[in-house]
Every structure is written in structure tokens, then in C-alpha cells.
């Protein structure tokens, strides 16, 4: 086995283990910490694929920002067993159905996906560099990129609107 | 990959580690001396000449103290907290360019542990993860004051990271690269970025104070409200790690400030030195110059600490969200217009 393969197996085991522990731990803070570890190990997967930029962005956005805020919220909310919302059986059934549908989508994507690494390798371009990534994003994928930014902007405005007090309530 | 390369990098990594540790150690000494100077006192002067052995004595004291564990169900996380704080403080130095290059035995040695394409983002990533040390440690202490402190630390870090990132974007628009080595090389002569990006530098400086948890933004360990904040329950070397991590962070952020805005290892007449005296002499002087700049910023941190009182929490949030972020966005726009007009 090559060192890369061994690293991959180790990382994959780590990712799966932390993901399962995220679901199974009783304490919400422990769950969140396992999720942080899971996110960091996904960064390792990106590094194995030679995608430095995506790896670092994964670290900054998920481990550094989103999970910090999530831990922050959990610490503030003080979740106890007694306060847990009672879940009726139908929601559990719904969750299972959603999970199965999601798995079908993921598996079909996995089967239909083509490895395009070879093509990029033969083109001789340093496809992991930020310059190439930026050019591809703003030329080939200009429209989806702009749509994604509008989506984020709308979400941001929505949050600000939610936190604003209504004037007549003062 | 030849063995000489591995030896070279290992020596370099160990050297950086040692230097960071020594700088952090003597920052504690310098902090007391600066505080004493600003308050018209003498400061430590018993252990060694001018109190120079004081940090060693402090380290011995911390090691020898009793390890106290609070009544917490999370002993493991209680230990992990200071460990994360210390390791993230040491990790950022990997991408710092400490100098240009040296020529030893016919080999060109680049004075940087690793030169990755996304060095600057790497630094940001590590800084953003660093807050877990405070959060996890504060939560695992099982103490309300510590918990308050970790909640404060989290919101403060996230708020100031935005302004910090935005101030860097304006710089990146000018330099066109994320590699710290290239950013340093572009500032040859007196072409320092601070002359082109004064507002960006100011925003970055303020955010650096907030990110390293230094006064006036040390709300996380605000002793008048929270006893000692996240390290209330800590004792012995675990407490020492938190304090040490703060000084190591200070050293690294001073290095980042010097590299990004104050010309890194460049000094006026460096090219003349390279041509007339030799590459090695010129670059060793460059390293010395970089360390002088770093020491100045460390002194600046202490100067501010003993001059400006702590902010109130709402003032902190107001400054971060309503002043620094809009200012940083305006700075980006002005930079964009200037690039369009002058280039």
C-alpha cells in the first residue's frame, strides 16, 4: 500500500467514526466537538486530492466560523434532557424517508461521476492554484457563482430583518 | 527529496519553535518591565541581571505547583483546552518568511518552513481554530464565569475575524497573491504596504488586538467581571500554557503585521548590500531587521495594554460590527477604484 492510500484509510476511518459519534453522543457539546473533528478530517481529504485552497476554506468556514457559532449557541441554550422536545413517531419516519432519498441521490451521483483529474493532469495547468480557480469560477461558472452570492445576500438580509425590532412595539 | 533538504527543514522547524518559545518567555519579562516603566516603577530586578532570569523562575514555579482539577465531568476536555490553545499558537509560524535566502555550502536555503500557495489563508484558518482552546477549556471548567468567558471569546473572535478578513482583501487586491513569501518580496526597498494601505493596516491592527485577546479587548478574561475568565479554574502548567499561548500569539501576530504591512525583512539599501557585501550578510541583517520590527510591535501591544482601559462589551461589538466592517468595505472600494485609475 502506498502512503497516500494508508493516509486515506486512516482519514476515512476517522471521518466516519467522528460522524457517528456526533450522532450518538448524548451531550450536545460533545456532539459539536466531534463534528468539529469531522470537519477538520474532511480538510485532510481535500489535501489528499491536492486541493489546498478548498482545504483551507473548509477549515476557515466550517471549523473556524460555523462550528464556533454552533458551539456558542449550544453553550448559551443550556440543553438539558428535560427540555428536549417530544418527537412524535411520524417525524422519525420522515427522517428515515429523507435519509433514504438522500442516499439514493448521493449514490447515483457517485456512480455517474467521472474522474476528470486525468484531463486536468494532461492539460499541464496547475489546477490547484487560486488564480486558475478564480478564472474558472468567474468565466465558466459565472452565473451559478453570482446566484450563490445573491442567495447568501438574501439570507443575510433575512437575518438582519429578524433581529430588528418592529417600530410600533417600542 | 534529498536528505539534505529534510535535515535543513528539520533544523529550521526546531529553530523556529525554539525562537517562538524564547520570545514568548521573554515577552512576559518585557511586559513587566514595560508596565513598570509606564507606571514609574522598577519592575522585576531580583532574579539575574535586570530580572532576566525571572521567566525561568516563573516557569519553574508553574511546573512545581499542584495540579488542581475542579469538580467537572469533563476532565479530558479540561486538559484538551490549553493543549489546543498552545498548539494553534505554534502552528502559524510554519508559513512565515523569516528572511529571503541564505547560501550555505553552495545550497540556497529559503528561510521559511514551507511556502504554500495559500499561506495567508492558512494563517487565518489556524487563528480561527485557536478560539476552541478558550471555548472548550472554559466550558469544561464547569464554572459559570468560565462559561461566560468562552461565550464572549467566541462571539468576539467571530466578529473581528470578518473585519480582519475584509482588511486583508484590500491588501490582496494590490499584491495579487496569497503567498507570504511573495508579499514580502514585493515590498523590497521602502515599498512597504503600510504606505499604500494605511486604513487597512489600522483595521488589521485593531483586529489583531481582539484576536489575541489583549487589552483593550481582553473581555474573555475580564477580571473585574469574570474573576479570571476561562482560566479561573486552571492551575499549574495548564494555566501556564494559556498564558504562554497568549504571548506566542502576540509574537506571531506581530510577525504577521511586520510581514504584511511593514516590509518583512526588507530594509532600505538591501539590494546594495546584496551586490557589495554578499548575499548571506545582507540576509542575516534582513532577519535582524524583521526581529526589530516584531519587537517594536510586541512593545506596541504592551504600550497599549498599559495605556487604554478595557472596552465595555457592547462598545466592543459596536466597534467591530458598525465601525470596522463598513470602514473595511469602503477601503476595499477605494482600493479598487485606485487600482482601476492608476494602473
Amino acid at each position: 500500500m502506498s502512503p497516500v492510500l494508508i493516509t486515506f484509510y486512516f482519514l476515512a476511518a476517522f471521518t466516519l467514526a467522528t460522524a457517528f459519534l456526533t450522532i450518538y453522543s448524548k451531550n450536545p457539546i460533545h456532539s459539536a466537538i466531534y463534528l468539529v473533528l469531522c470537519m477538520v478530517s474532511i480538510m485532510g481529504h481535500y489535501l489528499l486530492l491536492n486541493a489546498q485552497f478548498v482545504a483551507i476554506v473548509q477549515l476557515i468556514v466550517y471549523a473556524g466560523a460555523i462550528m464556533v457559532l454552533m458551539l456558542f449557541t449550544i453553550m448559551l441554550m443550556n440543553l438539558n434532557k428535560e427540555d428536549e422536545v417530544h418527537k412524535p413517531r411520524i417525524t422519525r419516519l420522515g427522517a428515515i424517508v429523507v435519509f433514504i432519498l438522500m442516499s439514493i441521490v448521493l449514490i447515483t451521483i457517485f456512480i455517474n461521476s467521472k474522474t476528470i483529474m486525468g484531463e486536468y493532469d494532461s492539460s499541464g495547468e496547475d489546477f490547484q492554484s487560486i488564480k486558475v480557480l478564480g478564472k474558472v469560477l468567474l468565466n465558466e461558472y459565472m452565473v451559478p457563482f453570482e446566484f450563490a452570492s445573491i442567495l447568501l445576500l438574501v439570507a443575510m438580509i433575512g437575518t438582519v430583518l429578524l433581529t430588528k425590532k418592529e417600530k410600533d412595539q417600542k | 527529496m534529498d536528505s539534505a533538504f529534510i535535515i535543513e527543514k528539520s533544523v529550521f522547524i526546531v529553530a523556529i519553535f525554539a525562537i517562538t518559545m524564547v520570545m514568548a518567555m521573554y515577552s512576559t519579562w518585557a511586559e513587566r518591565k514595560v508596565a513598570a516603566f509606564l507606571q514609574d516603577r522598577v519592575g522585576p530586578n531580583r532574579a539575574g541581571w535586570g530580572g532576566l532570569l525571572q521567566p525561568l523562575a516563573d516557569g519553574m514555579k508553574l511546573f512545581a505547583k499542584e495540579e488542581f482539577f475542579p469538580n467537572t465531568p469533563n476532565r479530558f476536555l479540561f486538559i484538551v483546552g490549553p493543549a489546543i490553545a498552545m498548539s494553534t499558537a505554534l502552528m502559524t509560524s510554519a508559513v512565515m518568511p523569516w528572511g529571503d535566502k541564505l547560501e550555505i555550502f553552495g545550497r540556497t536555503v529559503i528561510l521559511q518552513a514551507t511556502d504554500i500557495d495559500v499561506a495567508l489563508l492558512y494563517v487565518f484558518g489556524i487563528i480561527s481554530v485557536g478560539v476552541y482552546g478558550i471555548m472548550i477549556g472554559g466550558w469544561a471548567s464547569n464554572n459559570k464565569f468560565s462559561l461566560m468567558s468562552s461565550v464572549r471569546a467566541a462571539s468576539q473572535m467571530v466578529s473581528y475575524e470578518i473585519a480582519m478578513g475584509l482588511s486583508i482583501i484590500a491588501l490582496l487586491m494590490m499584491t495579487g497573491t496569497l503567498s507570504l513569501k511573495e508579499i514580502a518580496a514585493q515590498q523590497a526597498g521602502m515599498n512597504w504596504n503600510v504606505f499604500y494601505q494605511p486604513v487597512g493596516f489600522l483595521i488589521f491592527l485593531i483586529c489583531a488586538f481582539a484576536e489575541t485577546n489583549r487589552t483593550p479587548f481582553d473581555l474573555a478574561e475580564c477580571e473585574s467581571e469574570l474573576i479570571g475568565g476561562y482560566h479561573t479554574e486552571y492551575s499549574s502548567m495548564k494555566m501556564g500554557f494559556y498564558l504562554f499561548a497568549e504571548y506566542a500569539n502576540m509574537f506571531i501576530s506581530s510577525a504577521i503585521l511586520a510581514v504584511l504591512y511593514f516590509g518583512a525583512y526588507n530594509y532600505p539599501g538591501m539590494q546594495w548590500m546584496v551586490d557589495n557585501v554578499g548575499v548571506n550578510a545582507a540576509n542575516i541583517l534582513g532577519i535582524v531587521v524583521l526581529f526589530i520590527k516584531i519587537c517594536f510591535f510586541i512593545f506596541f501591544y504592551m504600550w497599549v495594554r498599559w495605556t487604554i482601559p478595557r472596552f465595555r462589551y457592547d462598545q466592543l461589538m459596536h466597534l467591530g460590527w458598525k465601525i470596522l466592517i463598513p470602514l473595511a468595505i469602503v477601503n476595499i472600494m477605494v482600493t479598487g477604484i485606485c487600482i482601476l485609475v492608476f494602473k
Side-chain angles (χ1 to χ4, degrees):
Chain A
M1 275 205 287
S2 64
V4 175
L5 207 60
I6 294 170
T7 322
F8 171 73
Y9 280 133
F10 177 75
L11 266 176
F14 191 80
T15 310
L16 286 177
T18 46
F20 272 115
L21 283 168
T22 308
I23 304 168
Y24 281 119
S25 27
K26 293 264 185 278
N27 191 325
I29 298 256
H30 290 176
S31 277
I33 291 170
Y34 283 126
L35 193 54
V36 175
L37 289 177
C38 186
M39 295 295 184
V40 173
S41 69
I42 290 173
M43 175 198 162
H45 288 288
Y46 287 132
L47 278 182
L48 273 185
L49 293 172
N50 231 344
Q52 283 181 1
F53 179 72
V54 186
I56 297 291
V57 168
Q58 162 87 12
L59 183 72
I60 296 177
V61 174
Y62 285 97
I66 292 181
M67 286 316 296
V68 168
L69 284 178
M70 208 180 256
L71 258 180
F72 172 75
T73 334
I74 295 171
M75 282 176 180
L76 269 186
M77 285 203 300
N78 196 18
L79 292 170
N80 286 324
K81 256 238 145 98
E82 304 89 67
D83 307 335
E84 221 171 80
V85 196
H86 178 69
K87 295 186 195 90
R89 194 159 287 168
I90 188 86
T91 51
R92 293 188 187 184
L93 201 71
I96 293 169
V97 171
V98 168
F99 173 74
I100 291 171
L101 288 176
M102 186 78 184
S103 328
I104 292 171
V105 172
L106 284 179
I107 289 169
T108 39
I109 288 173
F110 187 68
I111 292 170
N112 286 326
S113 65
K114 287 171 236 146
T115 44
I116 49 169
M117 292 284 275
E119 254 174 69
Y120 277 105
D121 267 342
S122 59
S123 71
E125 213 160 350
D126 182 17
F127 58 88
Q128 62 144 332
S129 87
I130 321 155
K131 285 207 173 100
V132 175
L133 197 73
K135 274 177 195 154
V136 170
L137 260 187
L138 288 177
N139 287 327
E140 278 177 57
Y141 297 100
M142 177 78 173
V143 178
F145 181 78
E146 292 296 335
F147 270 121
S149 50
I150 288 172
L151 190 69
L152 282 176
L153 190 68
V154 169
M156 217 159 75
I157 293 170
T159 326
V160 172
L161 207 67
L162 276 178
T163 53
K164 249 196 155 131
K165 278 182 200 153
E166 279 172 40
K167 269 190 183 145
D168 49 288
Q169 269 185 347
K170 265 182 190 173
Chain B
M1 209 185 290
D2 54 335
S3 52
F5 178 77
I6 294 172
I7 294 170
E8 173 197 314
K9 288 298 179 196
S10 322
V11 168
F12 195 69
I13 289 167
V14 173
I16 292 177
F17 175 72
I19 290 172
T20 313
M21 283 307 205
V22 170
M23 287 297 277
M25 233 167 84
Y26 276 91
S27 295
T28 62
W29 171 81
E31 174 109 75
R32 292 171 176 196
K33 277 290 185 193
V34 170
F37 170 67
L38 290 174
Q39 297 167 352
D40 206 9
R41 291 187 282 116
V42 180
N45 66 345
R46 295 288 137 172
W49 182 81
L52 271 177
L53 294 177
Q54 189 69 41
L56 290 175
D58 283 342
M60 292 248 292
K61 184 194 82 177
L62 281 170
F63 268 116
K65 272 196 157 183
E66 185 199 348
E67 287 249 41
F68 176 76
F69 277 93
N71 184 16
T72 166
N74 296 289
R75 274 173 82 105
F76 180 69
L77 287 181
F78 187 73
I79 298 168
V80 164
I84 296 177
M86 193 70 217
S87 23
T88 49
L90 290 172
M91 269 164 81
T92 15
S93 57
V95 291
M96 277 304 139
W98 301 103
D100 190 15
K101 57 180 185 254
L102 290 181
E103 275 167 11
I104 303 168
F105 305 126
R107 282 179 60 87
T108 310
V109 178
I110 290 164
L111 293 168
Q112 192 177 16
T114 170
D115 177 33
I116 53 174
D117 213 18
V118 287
L120 195 51
L121 285 180
Y122 168 83
V123 172
F124 268 81
I126 300 298
I127 290 175
S128 61
V129 171
V131 69
Y132 284 119
I134 295 176
M135 285 188 80
I136 291 174
W139 180 77
S141 296
N142 210 11
N143 173 327
K144 275 181 187 152
F145 293 111
S146 302
L147 183 66
M148 282 285 288
S149 152
S150 31
V151 168
R152 276 185 180 188
S155 51
Q156 177 182 330
M157 284 285 202
V158 170
S159 314
Y160 276 77
E161 240 161 52
I162 301 170
M164 198 181 208
L166 288 174
S167 73
I168 284 296
I169 286 176
L171 182 75
L172 294 183
M173 283 160 69
M174 279 174 47
T175 58
T177 174
L178 279 170
S179 157
L180 287 175
K181 185 173 185 268
E182 277 173 48
I183 291 177
Q186 280 173 2
Q187 305 178 60
M190 277 306 274
N191 226 354
W192 295 358
N193 282 332
V194 67
F195 301 127
Y196 304 104
Q197 281 290 333
V199 180
F201 168 69
L202 199 67
I203 298 168
F204 190 88
L205 185 72
I206 295 170
C207 295
F209 272 88
E211 296 282 314
T212 46
N213 264 320
R214 293 282 300 181
T215 327
F217 303 114
D218 63 341
L219 272 289
E221 52 170 298
C222 177
E223 60 268 8
S224 52
E225 294 164 18
L226 298 177
I227 314 178
Y230 54 93
H231 53 61
T232 306
E233 297 282 357
Y234 281 91
S235 61
S236 183
M237 206 51 206
K238 290 204 286 298
M239 158 99 172
F241 266 22
Y242 270 130
L243 299 184
F244 229 64
E246 184 186 323
Y247 285 98
N249 271 330
M250 217 164 89
F251 169 63
I252 296 295
S253 62
S254 302
I256 296 171
L257 277 165
V259 167
L260 286 184
Y261 289 100
F262 273 77
Y265 46 78
N266 292 299
Y267 50 91
M270 188 168 177
Q271 195 53 45
W272 183 86
M273 283 284 282
V274 172
D275 294 338
N276 292 300
V277 187
V279 180
N280 283 352
N283 283 306
I284 288 171
L285 190 61
I287 299 171
V288 173
V289 167
L290 177 62
F291 273 91
I292 291 172
K293 288 171 187 169
I294 292 173
C295 289
F296 169 74
F297 278 113
I298 292 178
F299 170 71
F300 187 74
Y301 269 103
M302 293 165 184
W303 188 9
V304 169
R305 173 170 180 180
W306 299 106
T307 311
I308 301 176
R310 183 179 294 130
F311 276 54
R312 226 169 49 215
Y313 197 70
D314 59 317
Q315 290 171 333
L316 174 92
M317 285 296 150
H318 182 263
L319 179 70
W321 286 97
K322 292 188 181 163
I323 297 176
L324 288 183
I325 292 178
L327 194 64
I329 292 173
V330 169
N331 188 35
I332 290 176
M333 282 171 61
V334 172
T335 311
I337 292 167
C338 286
I339 289 175
L340 208 65
V341 171
F342 294 114
K343 278 185 184 169

